[in-house]
Amino acid sequence: MGRIIIHVDMDAFYASVEIRDNPSLKGKPVIIGALPDQRGVVSTCSYEARGFGVRSGMNIKEAYRLCPEGVYIHPDFEKYKAVSEQLHAIWDSYATVSEPIAFDESFLDVTATAGDFDRAAEMAHEIKRRTREELGLTCSVGVAYCMSAAKIASEEMKPDGFFQIRTREEFVELMSGREVRELFSVGPRTAERLNDLGIVTVADIREHAKEVERAFGKHGAFLVGLADGIDDREVTPYRPEDAKSVSRELTFQEDVSDYVLIRDVILLLALSVEDRAAKYGLHGNGISVKITYSDMKTITRTRTGAPDDSAITIAKEAWKMLENLGKKPVRLIGVGVFNFGAKKVRQMTLDPEEEEVPAEEELAYFLEKMHKRYRFDFMKNREWMLRVDRLHGVAEHMRIQRMKTLSKHGRTH
Ligand code: TTP
Ligand code: MG
């Protein structure tokens, strides 16, 4: 059965919101991220700034060198989150199932709601129009027969773009001459390894299918499928409020091989999960950990029957499960709690008579160690950093601190 998937992605999202709210910035190179006199990176920038060579993830000093006349603005995550909620509400109304990928990006399964590609194309334009009229922002929309084609389609005509890829044949024709990097799941390392095999374009993957499968195993087979336009992944909903689990995950700005850092980030994610689950009054004794390696291979491990669902327990269980997994460079790490309503899960209380105090003490102990390691007071900033999207900035600070420490001790990562 054919499917119809829409992928929506906002154009220069944070920058566009700032420009919308301050029209005097219109047409100017606007750079969102650290300020030029601070340490840090570019989160994103307007297309005018991209004309100067500025890019997401670039060191802010480098950005300033390329574009001293730029307007530099510190990100306001609360604002972007509020806008994001409005965006997703519009988009979701077109789909039977939607998968929010980020603040500014979502996959929508419109197979049933659109019925055919012509109507889906109309929907895409309607989504663009409503996003512009109701929120004053532009987005790029791709319509396709599978998720990775939809994603490629949305990027094809950016900004304010629209593009469709209705069939596998169209996909293969479009992509054959493109670099392997453009395929879903091909990061810089995979691309390099493929290039070393003399495989540079998507067509090369198809022509050297056997070799790719031999060199990359399961991922290789997946890549050969993708190069052929085959992608069976389904749009998967994710809404913590009504889900059967609460989870939190984080993608590092650069892949991380430092497992001390990974363990510490897990503890912060666990704190965030504990916080969110408690807010919804949910308690579970199932703990999950999810890890995506730099080659996009994703592994999930779970266990049930945890003694409680305090952050420290979540973290310790996740650490244990992590020990049994491969120690490859990590792109994304996540933890979660599930199995809500299971008996024997202690409710978390702040009653000092209760046993939860030791968990808090143990937590304080770990956070204090981390305070020294990263020169950041996690205990004091606990409330602050747990807000959605601040954690990413904190993790980035941690990553950079660790790189400094480790390079001082003569190690490469
Ligand atoms: P993207 O969709 O990757 O970028 P964008 O919307 O700014 O620009 P484009 O038109 O190319 O889609 O990311 C969405 C937001 O996520 C972006 O506005 C800021 C944030 N972000 C970061 O904070 N750091 C990053 O490295 C990237 C890539 C994005
Ligand atoms: Mg975007």
Side-chain angles (χ1 to χ4, degrees):
M1 238 294 280
R3 295 179 299 151
I4 310 174
I5 315 289
I6 286 181
H7 180 258
V8 202
D9 188 307
M10 299 303 291
D11 304 321
F13 181 47
Y14 296 178
S16 303
V17 173
E18 296 302 340
I19 294 164
R20 177 194 73 178
D21 294 350
N22 178 0
S24 74
L25 298 175
K26 216 172 161 159
K28 293 187 181 158
V30 174
I31 293 135
I32 313 293
L35 300 179
D37 59 351
Q38 299 172 334
R39 205 168 41 205
V41 296
V42 174
S43 297
T44 192
C45 59
S46 66
Y47 279 76
E48 286 81 359
R50 294 180 200 196
F52 289 83
V54 179
R55 294 286 179 272
S56 290
M58 179 180 274
N59 189 300
I60 201 71
K61 299 271 190 297
E62 168 74 358
Y64 190 71
R65 198 181 60 72
L66 291 169
C67 187
E69 62 266 64
V71 183
Y72 289 80
I73 301 174
H74 202 262
D76 178 351
F77 296 117
E78 290 303 309
K79 179 152 93 178
Y80 312 142
K81 179 168 181 271
V83 177
S84 169
E85 278 163 14
Q86 296 174 299
L87 288 169
H88 286 284
I90 295 176
W91 302 343
D92 288 356
S93 67
Y94 291 89
T96 44
V97 184
S98 70
E99 180 170 347
I101 297 294
F103 273 11
D104 85 319
E105 180 185 346
S106 195
F107 284 102
L108 314 172
D109 189 324
V110 299
T111 313
T113 45
D116 60 43
F117 271 104
D118 288 341
R119 174 63 195 132
E122 278 172 31
M123 264 186 183
H125 283 107
E126 214 170 295
I127 286 173
K128 284 169 64 69
R129 181 180 56 75
R130 287 189 58 193
T131 302
R132 189 177 58 243
E133 288 177 3
E134 294 174 31
L135 291 165
L137 296 166
T138 64
C139 58
S140 295
V141 183
V143 181
Y145 66 94
C146 72
M147 287 175 76
S148 60
K151 167 111 183 159
I152 284 164
S154 77
E155 278 165 17
E156 199 59 21
M157 294 293 176
K158 234 176 196 311
D160 202 12
F162 165 79
F163 194 75
Q164 40 183 339
I165 304 175
R166 295 188 176 198
T167 61
R168 270 180 60 194
E169 290 71 28
E170 277 180 40
F171 178 90
V172 170
E173 193 183 323
L174 177 75
M175 296 301 290
S176 283
R178 305 277 178 98
E179 289 187 16
V180 291
R181 226 8 254 275
E182 296 199 28
L183 287 183
F184 171 70
S185 84
V186 178
R189 283 168 57 95
T190 308
E192 207 183 301
R193 283 180 59 201
L194 283 164
N195 292 348
D196 287 346
L197 295 171
I199 295 164
V200 179
T201 65
V202 174
D204 292 340
I205 295 184
R206 302 176 68 219
E207 278 155 32
H208 299 88
K210 287 260 146 53
E211 234 177 306
V212 175
E213 280 171 30
R214 216 176 306 126
F216 293 87
K218 252 191 181 163
H219 186 215
F222 180 64
L223 284 179
V224 170
L226 282 185
D228 254 333
I230 300 167
D231 175 12
D232 295 329
R233 289 175 303 138
E234 282 181 22
V235 177
T236 313
Y238 180 69
R239 281 178 46 98
E241 301 87 310
D242 51 31
K244 297 179 192 75
S245 68
V246 169
S247 62
R248 185 93 153 77
E249 58 189 47
L250 185 148
T251 306
F252 292 108
Q253 205 135 302
E254 280 171 31
D255 298 341
V256 169
S257 311
D258 171 9
Y259 275 73
V260 172
L261 172 61
I262 290 167
R263 284 167 56 96
D264 289 341
V265 169
I266 283 178
L267 180 59
L268 299 189
L269 291 171
L271 265 173
S272 174
V273 167
E274 173 196 72
D275 188 63
R276 193 146 38 134
K279 269 191 194 128
Y280 296 118
L282 298 169
H283 291 283
N285 70 359
I287 314 282
S288 64
V289 63
K290 171 178 165 186
I291 192 161
T292 300
Y293 295 108
S294 52
D295 58 5
M296 289 311 280
K297 185 180 163 72
T298 297
I299 294 180
T300 310
R301 289 281 181 271
T302 58
R303 69 148 294 194
T304 52
D308 62 67
D309 56 6
S310 66
I312 197 71
T313 301
I314 297 170
K316 281 161 116 183
E317 294 295 339
W319 291 342
K320 260 190 250 163
M321 292 187 272
L322 186 72
E323 300 229 312
N324 296 316
L325 299 177
K327 297 282 178 290
K328 293 185 293 181
V330 171
R331 177 190 169 96
L332 171 151
I333 184 83
V335 296
V337 173
F338 65 100
N339 224 17
F340 297 134
K343 292 279 173 313
K344 290 208 200 124
V345 170
R346 277 182 273 148
Q347 298 289 307
M348 284 177 297
T349 75
L350 294 173
D351 183 347
E353 304 291 309
E354 293 270 27
E355 271 183 84
E356 272 60 48
V357 177
E360 274 296 308
E361 272 174 19
E362 203 177 355
L363 178 67
Y365 165 79
F366 279 109
L367 292 182
E368 192 45 39
K369 271 175 53 172
M370 284 167 58
H371 184 172
K372 295 211 181 82
R373 197 172 290 151
Y374 303 101
R375 303 199 191 132
F376 181 88
D377 193 339
F378 296 94
M379 202 64 173
K380 199 172 106 208
N381 291 297
R382 186 166 161 178
E383 287 292 313
W384 179 87
M385 78 185 174
L386 289 182
R387 306 284 285 270
V388 171
D389 250 70
R390 286 193 185 141
L391 207 50
H392 189 266
V394 174
E396 196 43 28
H397 164 84
M398 292 162 71
R399 191 178 68 79
I400 290 162
Q401 284 291 324
R402 279 292 286 176
M403 280 195 327
K404 279 195 207 142
T405 312
L406 294 178
S407 67
K408 233 188 261 164
H409 292 86
R411 284 160 57 183
T412 48
H413 50 247

